[in-house]
Amino acid sequence: MATLCHSLDPKAFTNHYVLLRCAEDTYFGFTGNLRYALGEAEFLDWDHEEIERKAIAESSICIVILSPRFLSSPSCLDELVQIVEEFGKGRMGQLLLPVLYDLESSLVQQLIYNHKITVHPHKFDNWLQALTQVFTVAAHFTACHFQSDGDRYEYECIMKIVQQVSKHVASTLGLNLQEKEVIQLLNSGPDDGVHVIGIFGDPAIGKKIARTAYNLFAGEGFDSYCFLNVGENLSGPRFGHFLHMFCSRIVCNNCGISIMSTPKSTLNQMKVFVVFHDINDPDLLKYAVELTNWFGSGSRVIVTSDHKCLFESHGVKRVYQVEMSDRTTVRYENVIDRAEACVSGHPLPLE
């Protein structure tokens, strides 16, 4: 039976769901890593123990990992028929993203032939029709497919899948004004040198803007990339741990280098996209800004902090102040109104 690798609810995009479907042969490997990457990109688990027709109908995005085990499983193919039927209705905002994993044409033909001689003709025709449509769609996403004996790393394919999902959501909902302005800052000026953008203000909104830019562009022409939640993870000796965090992530996203060879001489040759999120310690911010001098020409760096003065004192010239959206402001004002009502209209106890 096909394995439900949970559905994923992107907290940054309301009413968009990603349904991730696979068979057992990729669940703990490729699909597990993809699920983690989608979670890192702010797509969260939508807790369903079993797949239902309703879950397929409510999902606007579906990623199907077509592997040898998937094509060998009657239950997987039955569910594929349901998915193709639902996503063939033409609802606005839908995306069906088939990913071919270790599938060659000769193997596909053999697996299909095995079903032809063992199942009822009517069911086989339904499977064949669904597979034909899915492989036609898959031709548009060749960068997302993976062969274990090929010349690409899994993380490259996974990043491409995350980008496809992010770009689809962005094109469906559109980027908000603040996201557009930060992306414009990233792309302004010549492509040489290292572009460092400082984002200050509300940390949650700043993180969302930085994550959107990262999801859309990190895999486009960069040798490596990483998103570091510095404030959430930093402990122990600050500078040593910070450098280890950074080097570990750069290595994870570029298997051609080792953690022992990531000093300046190596990074100077690499065009990287890096986000340092939630740095509010002046010394640590200084260290992060100095670290950007290690990066190769054309690199892009986003640093988020609560305070503009930290950027000004450390030479970050391109800064952007995030503001609460109208919806956030309304929610904030409603909370204050209710709190004041609870203390008989006297705001003094709230201070």
Side-chain angles (χ1 to χ4, degrees), residues 33-266:
N33 292 330
L34 173 58
R35 179 188 172 195
Y36 177 81
L38 288 166
E40 285 284 287
E42 305 297 327
F43 292 86
L44 304 180
D45 288 341
W46 186 29
D47 189 15
H48 273 264
E49 293 299 324
E50 295 181 358
I51 186 170
E52 300 174 354
R53 185 82 186 214
K54 181 181 179 182
I56 297 175
E58 291 181 354
S59 299
S60 59
I61 301 170
C62 181
I63 302 172
V64 182
I65 312 300
L66 298 170
S67 64
R69 182 69 64 84
F70 192 101
L71 265 63
S72 301
S73 168
S75 61
C76 286
L77 294 176
D78 284 341
E79 291 172 357
L80 185 65
V81 171
Q82 296 180 21
I83 290 170
V84 170
E85 288 178 354
E86 191 62 42
F87 279 74
K89 295 179 179 179
R91 287 194 290 122
M92 184 175 295
Q94 285 187 321
L95 171 67
L96 176 60
L97 203 168
V99 177
L100 275 56
Y101 186 92
D102 272 351
L103 283 181
E104 297 179 350
S105 58
S106 59
L107 176 60
V108 171
Q109 293 174 9
Q110 181 61 48
L111 293 173
I112 292 176
Y113 177 77
N114 291 343
H115 289 306
K116 183 177 182 179
I117 62 178
T118 58
V119 302
H120 190 279
H122 178 68
K123 174 171 282 194
F124 175 77
D125 288 343
N126 289 338
W127 291 352
L128 190 60
Q129 183 178 1
L131 285 169
T132 300
Q133 295 183 46
V134 166
F135 281 115
T136 300
V137 174
H140 299 286
F141 301 107
T142 54
C144 300
H145 307 327
F146 181 75
Q147 283 289 135
S148 57
D149 59 353
D151 58 357
R152 300 175 65 205
Y153 297 112
E154 277 195 6
Y155 81 87
E156 294 177 303
C157 300
I158 288 173
M159 186 64 189
K160 290 296 184 182
I161 296 170
V162 174
Q163 281 189 316
Q164 285 290 344
V165 172
S166 300
K167 288 180 178 179
H168 174 77
V169 173
S171 65
T172 302
L173 297 183
L175 298 174
N176 63 44
L177 178 61
Q178 296 188 95
E179 291 166 341
K180 290 180 181 178
E181 290 175 341
V182 168
I183 290 172
Q184 185 176 5
L185 273 178
L186 280 172
N187 293 328
S188 62
D191 195 41
D192 57 348
V194 178
H195 294 232
V196 182
I197 306 296
I199 299 178
F200 69 96
D202 184 278
I205 299 178
K207 181 179 182 181
K208 177 184 179 298
I209 294 172
R211 175 59 74 176
T212 297
Y214 179 82
N215 290 347
L216 292 176
F217 299 109
E220 298 292 329
F222 293 93
D223 299 315
S224 196
Y225 37 84
C226 65
F227 190 111
L228 292 182
N229 289 302
V230 179
E232 296 178 5
N233 297 295
L234 198 62
S235 63
R238 293 179 301 171
F239 300 135
H241 190 195
F242 177 77
L243 182 60
H244 185 269
M245 284 172 56
F246 169 71
C247 290
S248 297
R249 293 298 296 273
I250 285 291
V251 168
C252 286
N253 289 331
N254 189 323
C255 297
I257 62 176
S258 69
I259 194 168
M260 299 303 295
S261 64
T262 51
K264 188 174 181 179
S265 59
T266 299

Side-chain angles (χ1 to χ4, degrees), residues 238-239 279-288 290 310 314:
R238 293 179 301 171
F239 300 135
I279 299 183
N280 294 302
D281 180 277
D283 293 333
L284 195 59
L285 181 59
K286 178 182 178 182
Y287 189 74
E290 291 176 348
L310 293 182
H314 294 299

